[in-house]
Structure formats: structure tokens, C-alpha cells
């Protein structure tokens, strides 16, 4: 079926976030594979020779400078020049040195502020980034293997790491309704909960889902294709009404109105039912599955949870090959609301399989069920005295497994970090997935007595189990390095993105902070104690040079 092929083949990769070096490596590999081996061998030898010789060129240049100074010492009268410079410096007043050190402190302070802002926004140092991008290639260096997805083989050659679908963006299975939920948040707070990048991905999804199986688009379908691409919500709604004027049986138009114009879930459900009555007579499987799923979500939001569970089960039974749609995650959340834990365990037994892709919903729901069995009687003090029982050990191991898969979730469940509305797309193992999971499942953890207490006592122990460096991984693939960049695109700017592992402050931020503090201290001391600083400067100069001294500041 078309929908199956779409989800198997379509990968919503993050555009614009692959480093130039990684792209260059790919191109170099392609060029190497298709060109003459002899010419490639000569080129590689030339590059290696240049890289090897660059280090020695610096030493040769430094030696030539020293020889030139020695030869020209007498003809250029360098000794007399140094003596006159020393006399000139002796005539300077303390105010000059206060101004000099104060200016140095101001400039280094401005650099420090910019570096800190850049690090908070992009997660890296601007100076280091420029140095790596422009200076390291000149010095014959390469990027760090951990940052570019490379690893070093036994023979020392740099190879491309096998690609895994860790930086793939997935549609949020429980995404909210724009008109009835996202827009209401905007009306109340004045903040936009969705980023343009996230909405653009949704537009691409809708264009792909609702194209139809006909070889030629109908006029109303062409209008709807344009409608999904519109950036302005009102323009999308106008286009939907235009399509309905062309054909009253345009199901995709009713879908757009239910998503965008309906201000309540009840109104959205009415429009989806209208679209379903039209879609049943058509052959667009994609549209039919989408409408049925959203109707089940409407029933869940309106409190008809058993009806929603039945609709989801029927949908999974009718289309058993659509596991990649993650309808089972909607089913798990609804079953937890009913507290039907046996049914939840049955669903997990089918989908928490080693051969199937994992998610935060799968891992944390499994941990919740095991924690619920022991959490009501769990006590950290008693456990430290008698040790953990087998059931408690299973619960702790399940929590460690879930935290390793997505380390951002516990802070939201423990309310150490404020929640926001989940995005329409998520990155597995990223902060966006953690927000989406905690938004819907926090209530289920609270309902299980003692579960959050057990999570609070044990989740940080996960990081002692993960080997260092993190690239080795433990129970799952190594934690991907692309999550921070992707989450910053998917989550709104007013949300502080959770980053794992926590990045240490770059060297240049520490260096500029120290330089700013040191020069500011010198300026203050020189202004307050000019005579004492003059004696100190003379002593330091005499001990380091022996012949020429800095001027006294009095």
C-alpha cells in the first residue's frame, strides 16, 4: 500500500544541520571511489607530506626570525632603539596604565559576554568553531570522530560509522489539535507553541498523506495541496473552503478545518465524522486511517476512553501492517487511563521486542508497570539495610533502561523542569520526545503510589552504568550527538532545551573570564596603589629580563 511505502521510505532528516566536514568526507569518499587509483594515491601522499612538513615549517620560520634579529642587531641599532623606548615608557603616568588595563578588561568582558551568549544559544564556542572550521584544515587536522559520526579502526584509518536511524524525526503519535488546543494556548499566553520548522514538516506530511491514489489530481485536490503549504493559518482555511466550493465531498478540506478552524474538540469531532462519511466511499487509505485515528483521539479527549480504545484496536486490526504509525502508543496511553494494566502488559509484550524500534513510551511504560508492583512499599532506608528484592531489582533495572534510552524524561516526571505543549514532531531520545511523553503520561505516574519516589531514588544511578566515553553505549546505540540541534528546531525558543550529556564550558570562555578578571584587578590596583604597583612591576621585570625594566608608576 502507498501509506506503508511512504513510512518505510520517507525519512524526515534534519536539513541544514549536517556539518560541512561530514558532507566533505562523503564527497571525498565518492570522488575516491570513482576516480583513478593512481592519481588518488599521489594526492593522498601529497596531502600527508604537506601535513607532516607543516609542523617543521613553523620551527624553520621561527629560527630564521632569530637569525635575522642577530644579524641586524648592530646595523639597525636595535639596542639604542630599546633604550629609547624604555625612556619613553618611563615618562608615562599611572593614568595611562589604568586606562590600558581598564580597556583590556572591557574588551575581554565584551568577548566573554558574546561567547557566553553564543554557547547558550548554539552549544559551542564561537572562537573554537571558527578555529576548527578555518585553521584546522590549514594545519592538516580533522574533526573529532565523536562529533562527526566517525570512528578509528584497528589500523588507524578513519572510517564512516554505520548509519542508524537515530537522527530521524518522527511524527508525534499524540500530537494536539491546532485550532482547539495549540491556538488556545497562543490566545492565552501570546506565545507560539509550534516552530515554523515543525509546521513545515507537518505540511510535507499532509501533502504526502492526502495526495490520493489517482494518477491525476482533481481541481479540489490541487487546491488542498496548495493549502497545506500555506504558512498563514487563515490562508489555509480559506483554501479549504475554496476546495469545498469546488466539491462538497472533499474529505481533505474537512480534515483541515477540523485541525485548524475548530476551536473545540467537539467541533473537531463533528468535522472529522463528516470527512469519514465521505472517505469511506473513496479509495484513499491514507486519509481514512488518519481520520479514524483522530476520531479515536477526540473520543479519548472527551472522556469516552473505552470507545477510544475500541476504535484504536479496530484500526490496528484492520491495518495490521501499519505498526510504523505507532498507533499502539495511543492505545497504551488510553489503557493506562483506564488502569487496565493487564492489557497494557499485553500490548508491551507485542511491541517491546528487541527487533522493533523503541520509544520513550515503550521503555517508560514498561518501567512504570514494574515500579508499580513494588513502589507502594518501597523505602530507600529499608532497601539499604536489607538490599533489593528480585522484584525491586527488576523495577530499578527497567528504570535504568528507560533513562538510558531518554535521559531527559525524569526531570519532567519529577517536575524539576516545567512542561510545555508537545511539538507535532519528535526526535527519539531527545528533549522533544521527553516533553511529548511527560505531557501525557505524568498523570499515570502520579496515579501509581510511590512510583515517582522510586524513580527519584534510582534514575541518576543510570549514568554510573553507562560506560565512558558515551560513544560506547550500553543497552542501546550510543547516544546520538544530533539531538540538541534537532530539538532546538522542534521546540519553541522560550523553552530551555535539555542537553545530554551536559557540555563543559569551552576553554575560551574560561580564558576570557580569567583575562577580564585579571586585567580589571590590575586596573583597580594600579589606580589605588600606583607606587606599590610600580615597585612590583619593576621587581617582576628585573627578575625576568635582568637588564631592562618596566617604568616605575610614580
Amino acid at each position: 500500500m502507498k501509506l506503508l511505502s511512504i513510512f518505510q521510505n520517507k525519512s524526515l532528516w534534519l536539513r541544514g544541520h549536517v556539518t560541512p566536514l561530514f558532507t566533505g568526507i562523503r564527497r571525498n569518499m565518492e570522488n575516491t571511489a570513482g576516480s583513478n587509483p593512481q592519481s588518488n594515491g599521489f594526492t593522498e601522499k601529497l596531502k600527508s607530506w604537506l601535513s607532516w612538513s607543516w609542523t617543521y615549517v613553523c620551527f624553520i620560520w621561527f629560527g630564521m626570525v632569530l637569525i635575522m634579529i642577530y644579524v641586524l642587531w648592530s646595523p639597525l641599532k636595535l639596542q639604542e632603539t630599546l633604550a629609547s623606548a624604555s625612556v619613553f615608557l618611563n615618562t608615562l603616568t599611572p593614568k595611562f596604565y589604568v586606562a590600558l588595563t581598564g580597556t583590556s578588561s572591557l574588551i575581554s568582558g565584551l568577548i566573554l559576554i558574546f561567547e557566553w551568549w553564543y554557547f547558550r544559544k548554539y552549544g559551542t564556542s564561537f572562537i573554537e568553531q571558527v578555529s576548527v572550521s578555518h585553521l584546522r584544515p590549514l594545519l592538516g587536522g580533522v574533526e573529532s570522530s565523536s562529533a562527526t559520526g566517525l570512528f578509528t579502526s584497528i589500523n588507524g584509518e578513519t572510517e564512516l560509522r554505520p548509519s542508524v536511524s537515530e537522527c530521524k524525526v518522527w511524527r508525534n503519535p499524540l500530537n494536539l489539535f491546532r485550532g482547539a488546543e495549540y491556538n488556545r494556548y497562543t490566545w492565552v499566553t501570546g506565545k507560539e507553541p509550534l516552530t515554523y520548522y515543525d509546521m513545515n514538516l507537518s505540511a510535507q506530511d499532509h501533502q504526502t498523506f492526502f495526495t490520493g491514489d489517482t494518477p491525476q489530481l482533481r481541481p479540489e485536490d490541487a487546491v488542498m495541496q496548495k493549502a497545506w503549504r500555506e504558512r498563514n493559518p487563515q490562508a489555509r482555511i480559506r483554501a479549504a473552503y475554496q476546495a469545498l466550493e469546488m466539491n462538497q465531498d472533499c474529505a481533505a478540506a474537512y480534515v483541515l478545518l477540523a485541525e485548524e478552524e475548530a476551536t473545540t474538540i467537539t467541533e473537531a469531532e463533528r468535522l472529522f465524522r463528516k470527512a469519514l462519511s465521505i472517505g469511506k466511499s473513496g479509495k484513499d487509505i491514507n486519509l481514512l486511517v488518519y481520520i479514524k485515528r483522530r476520531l479515536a483521539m477526540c473520543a479519548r479527549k472527551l472522556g469516552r476512553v473505552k470507545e477510544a480504545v475500541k476504535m484504536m484496536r479496530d484500526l490496528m486490526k484492520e491495518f495490521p501492517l501499519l505498526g510504523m504509525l505507532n498507533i499502539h502508543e495511543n492505545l497504551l496511553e488510553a489503557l493506562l487511563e483506564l488502569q487496565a494494566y493487564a492489557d497494557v502488559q499485553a500490548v508491551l509484550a507485542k511491541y517491546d521486542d528487541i527487533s522493533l524500534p523503541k520509544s520513550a513510551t515503550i521503555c517508560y511504560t514498561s518501567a512504570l508497570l514494574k515500579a508499580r508492583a513494588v513502589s507502594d512499599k518501597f523505602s530507600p532506608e529499608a532497601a539499604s539495610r536489607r538490599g533489593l528484592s528480585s522484584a525491586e531489582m527488576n523495577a530499578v533495572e527497567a528504570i535504568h533502561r528507560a533513562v538510558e534510552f531518554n535521559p531527559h524524561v525524569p526531570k519532567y516526571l519529577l517536575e524539576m523542569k516545567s512542561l510545555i505543549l508537545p511539538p507535532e514532531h519528535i526526535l527519539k531520545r531527545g528533549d522533544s520526545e521527553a516533553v511529548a511523553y511527560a505531557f501525557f503520561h505524568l498523570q499515570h505516574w502520579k496515579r501509581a503510589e510511590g512510583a515517582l519516589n522510586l524513580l527519584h531514588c534510582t534514575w541518576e544511578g543510570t549514568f554510573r552504568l553507562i560506560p565512558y566515553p558515551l560513544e560506547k553505549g550500553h543497552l542501546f546505540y550510543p547516544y546520538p550527538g544530533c539531538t540538541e540541534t534537532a530539538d532546538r528546531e522542534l521546540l519553541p525558543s522560550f523553552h530551555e532545551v535539555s542537553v545530554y550529556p551536559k557540555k563543559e564550558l569551552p576553554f575560551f570562555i574560561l580564558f576570557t573570564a580569567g583575562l577580564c578578571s585579571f586585567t580589571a584587578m590590575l586596573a583597580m590596583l594600579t589606580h589605588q596603589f600606583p607606587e606599590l604597583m610600580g615597585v612590583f612591576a619593576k621587581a617582576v621585570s628585573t627578575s625576568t629580563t635582568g637588564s631592562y625594566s618596566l617604568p616605575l608608576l610614580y
Side-chain angles (χ1 to χ4, degrees):
M1 290 187 301
K2 182 176 181 180
L3 183 62
L4 180 60
S5 61
I6 288 171
F7 273 89
Q8 286 177 336
N9 299 328
K10 183 181 179 185
S11 297
L12 298 175
W13 293 95
L14 300 174
R15 299 171 178 87
H17 298 289
V18 180
T19 60
L21 179 61
F22 191 68
T23 306
I25 290 174
R26 284 183 174 174
R27 291 176 180 173
N28 290 340
M29 293 178 66
E30 293 172 359
N31 294 337
T32 303
S35 59
N36 190 342
Q38 294 181 355
S39 61
N40 288 334
F42 174 76
T43 304
E44 293 300 326
K45 290 181 180 178
L46 180 62
K47 288 182 179 179
S48 62
W49 183 82
L50 289 175
S51 301
W52 172 81
S53 62
W54 187 266
T55 305
Y56 299 95
V57 169
C58 297
F59 289 104
I60 294 174
W61 178 84
F62 184 70
M64 292 177 62
V65 170
L66 293 179
I67 293 173
M68 185 176 297
I69 292 175
Y70 177 78
V71 173
L72 299 177
W73 184 267
S74 297
L76 295 181
K77 301 180 179 179
L78 295 180
Q79 187 171 0
E80 290 80 356
T81 303
L82 291 175
S84 60
S86 178
V87 172
F88 170 75
L89 293 175
N90 275 296
T91 61
L92 297 176
T93 64
K95 292 183 178 180
F96 170 79
Y97 294 98
V98 173
L100 179 65
T101 52
T103 304
S104 301
S105 177
L106 176 63
I107 294 175
S108 57
L110 293 176
I111 296 175
L112 173 63
I113 294 173
F114 174 76
E115 278 282 293
W116 177 257
W117 170 83
Y118 196 87
F119 174 74
R120 294 282 296 179
K121 186 173 181 62
Y122 300 104
T124 186
S125 165
F126 176 78
I127 299 176
E128 289 183 5
Q129 187 180 35
V130 172
S131 302
V132 169
S133 301
H134 299 285
L135 298 181
R136 182 172 290 184
L138 298 177
L139 298 176
V142 295
E143 286 281 1
S144 173
S145 60
S146 61
T148 57
L150 304 176
F151 68 95
T152 304
S153 60
I154 298 177
N155 55 11
E157 297 179 354
T158 303
E159 301 176 358
L160 203 61
R161 175 176 287 176
S163 61
V164 291
S165 58
E166 290 175 330
C167 296
K168 178 180 177 181
V169 179
W170 299 77
R171 189 164 180 83
N172 184 2
L174 287 83
N175 65 303
L176 305 177
F177 294 86
R178 288 191 186 177
E181 294 173 305
Y182 287 121
N183 286 349
R184 290 173 63 185
Y185 177 84
T186 303
W187 297 336
V188 173
T189 64
K191 298 178 180 179
E192 289 291 341
L194 297 176
T195 64
Y196 175 68
Y197 177 74
D198 192 15
M199 292 189 291
N200 186 51
L201 292 178
S202 297
Q204 296 177 25
D205 291 342
H206 293 147
Q207 291 179 69
T208 306
F209 295 164
F210 307 144
T211 300
D213 295 327
T214 56
Q216 187 175 2
L217 289 178
R218 297 172 297 179
E220 61 270 20
D221 292 333
V223 173
M224 290 306 302
Q225 285 289 294
K226 182 181 178 182
W228 297 120
R229 293 194 299 267
E230 291 286 353
R231 185 170 183 176
N232 190 324
Q234 296 303 319
R236 291 195 292 270
I237 293 173
R238 287 195 299 267
Y241 279 114
Q242 181 183 350
L244 288 176
E245 291 176 0
M246 296 179 178
N247 183 2
Q248 286 292 328
D249 292 335
C250 182
Y254 285 108
V255 169
L256 189 146
L257 294 177
E259 293 283 357
E260 305 262 357
E261 189 183 39
T263 56
T264 63
I265 300 298
T266 303
E267 186 180 354
E269 184 181 35
R270 180 184 62 81
L271 292 170
F272 275 122
R273 289 191 183 280
K274 180 67 175 177
L276 180 62
S277 63
I278 299 172
K280 283 182 178 179
S281 59
K283 298 181 180 180
D284 194 341
I285 302 299
N286 304 354
L287 185 61
L288 188 62
V289 171
Y290 184 90
I291 294 172
K292 287 186 175 182
R293 181 179 193 168
R294 294 303 261 177
L295 278 172
M297 295 175 68
C298 287
R300 164 66 183 91
K301 293 175 184 292
L302 293 173
R304 306 195 307 270
V305 186
K306 291 184 178 180
E307 179 185 344
V309 168
K310 183 179 183 304
M311 295 174 69
M312 293 173 190
R313 289 189 185 277
D314 292 342
L315 189 58
M316 294 169 65
K317 189 179 299 182
E318 186 178 0
F319 303 99
L321 298 179
L322 298 182
M324 70 288 298
L325 287 174
N326 296 325
I327 301 176
H328 60 275
E329 295 196 10
N330 299 82
L331 179 61
L332 284 172
E333 196 280 326
L335 291 173
L336 286 172
E337 178 65 19
L338 293 175
Q339 301 185 43
Y341 297 111
D343 293 336
V344 173
Q345 186 61 56
V347 176
L348 287 177
K350 181 178 180 181
Y351 289 97
D352 192 6
D353 186 83
I354 191 172
S355 61
L356 297 177
K358 299 294 181 291
S359 67
T361 301
I362 292 293
C363 295
Y364 277 90
T365 302
S366 177
L368 173 60
L369 292 188
K370 293 181 180 178
R372 175 181 166 273
V374 299
S375 59
D376 57 336
K377 300 178 182 178
F378 178 78
S379 171
E381 295 79 10
S384 61
R385 290 195 305 268
R386 59 173 171 79
L388 295 174
S389 64
S390 58
E392 291 172 338
M393 183 62 69
N394 290 336
V396 171
E397 289 177 353
I399 290 175
H400 287 172
R401 171 177 177 262
V403 173
E404 182 184 348
F405 182 84
N406 193 316
H408 310 284
V409 172
K411 287 188 177 181
Y412 293 107
L413 293 180
L414 298 172
E415 299 182 87
M416 301 165 62
K417 205 172 187 310
S418 58
L419 271 173
I420 60 172
L421 294 186
E424 293 184 337
H425 290 80
I426 59 173
L427 185 71
K428 289 190 175 182
R429 309 187 73 179
D431 191 35
S432 52
E433 184 191 35
V435 168
Y437 172 80
F439 185 85
F440 294 100
H441 288 262
L442 175 59
Q443 57 181 329
H444 306 314
W445 279 82
K446 287 184 175 181
R447 189 179 293 124
E449 183 182 354
L452 288 176
N453 178 47
L454 180 60
L455 177 68
H456 174 73
C457 296
T458 58
W459 75 278
E460 290 183 328
T462 307
F463 306 115
R464 293 192 292 269
L465 301 176
I466 301 176
Y468 188 85
L470 294 172
E471 287 75 11
K472 294 181 179 179
H474 183 49
L475 298 176
F476 299 100
Y477 281 113
Y479 192 80
C482 62
T483 54
E484 180 184 358
T485 304
D487 286 330
R488 292 187 188 278
E489 293 289 337
L490 292 171
L491 296 170
S493 58
F494 58 82
H495 174 71
E496 183 180 355
V497 175
S498 176
V499 179
Y500 175 80
K502 277 292 184 182
K503 295 184 177 180
E504 298 180 357
L505 287 177
F507 165 76
F508 283 102
I509 290 183
L510 301 176
F511 176 77
T512 52
L515 181 63
C516 177
S517 304
F518 179 70
T519 52
M521 181 183 66
L522 285 181
M524 182 183 66
L525 292 176
T526 304
H527 177 70
Q528 294 292 332
F529 311 103
E531 297 181 0
L532 181 62
M533 290 299 294
V535 174
F536 176 74
K538 182 178 180 181
V540 172
S541 175
T542 303
S543 62
T544 53
T545 60
S547 56
Y548 294 98
S549 62
L550 292 176
L552 294 177
L553 302 181
Y554 53 81

